[in-house]
Amino acid sequence: MMTFVEMDPTVTLADQLGDEGGPVVLFNVFTAPPEDADRLLTAWAADAAVMKRQPGFVSTQLHRGIAGSGAFLNHAVWESVAHFRAAFTNPEFRASLSAYPDTATVSPHLFRPVAVPGICVA
């Protein structure tokens, strides 16, 4: 199974799962050696298919670093933390994690948009 690395060690994913607010965006950074990239993609597609069937799922998009990079970035939109929490603890999803290469790392973190006047809206 892949290794979990907190994106922000001061606020863990477990801490975030206790939030009861509204819509959130999951950003999840995966890394794997180039020789394991195809296995990571296959595993991600399988677990994304599980997530897509869960209540509160809105959308997802996977990105891959360029120039032979083994870095991947997934962003997924959820109607609420509660929906994401239920999906994240779903036994079918948890079982799918074993398909990732042992050499992979994953760093999931939840975010909400921030409004910056004159630049972007929330």
Side-chain angles (χ1 to χ4, degrees):
M1 173 128 94
M2 65 190 148
T3 302
F4 281 81
V5 178
E6 293 290 352
M7 192 178 289
D8 180 351
T10 65
V11 180
T12 67
L13 182 62
D15 295 335
Q16 294 180 314
L17 293 177
D19 184 285
E20 293 302 326
V24 290
V25 178
L26 167 73
F27 283 91
N28 201 351
V29 177
F30 299 86
T31 59
E35 63 270 16
D36 288 335
D38 287 344
R39 187 168 164 215
L40 187 145
L41 285 169
T42 299
W44 183 87
D47 83 40
V50 172
M51 291 303 218
K52 188 176 178 179
R53 295 190 305 268
Q54 304 309 304
F57 173 87
V58 176
S59 65
T60 193
Q61 177 65 56
L62 184 66
H63 305 266
R64 184 175 185 177
I66 63 172
S69 174
F72 296 82
L73 171 69
N74 174 51
H75 69 85
V77 180
W78 289 88
E79 290 180 13
S80 69
V81 174
H83 284 105
F84 174 73
R85 182 176 53 245
F88 187 73
T89 58
N90 177 299
E92 183 182 9
F93 169 72
R94 301 303 289 180
S96 74
L97 298 179
S98 65
Y100 282 89
D102 292 339
T103 56
T105 63
V106 60
S107 298
H109 202 80
L110 297 172
F111 293 85
R112 289 199 176 94
V114 175
V116 178
I119 306 294
C120 55
V121 298

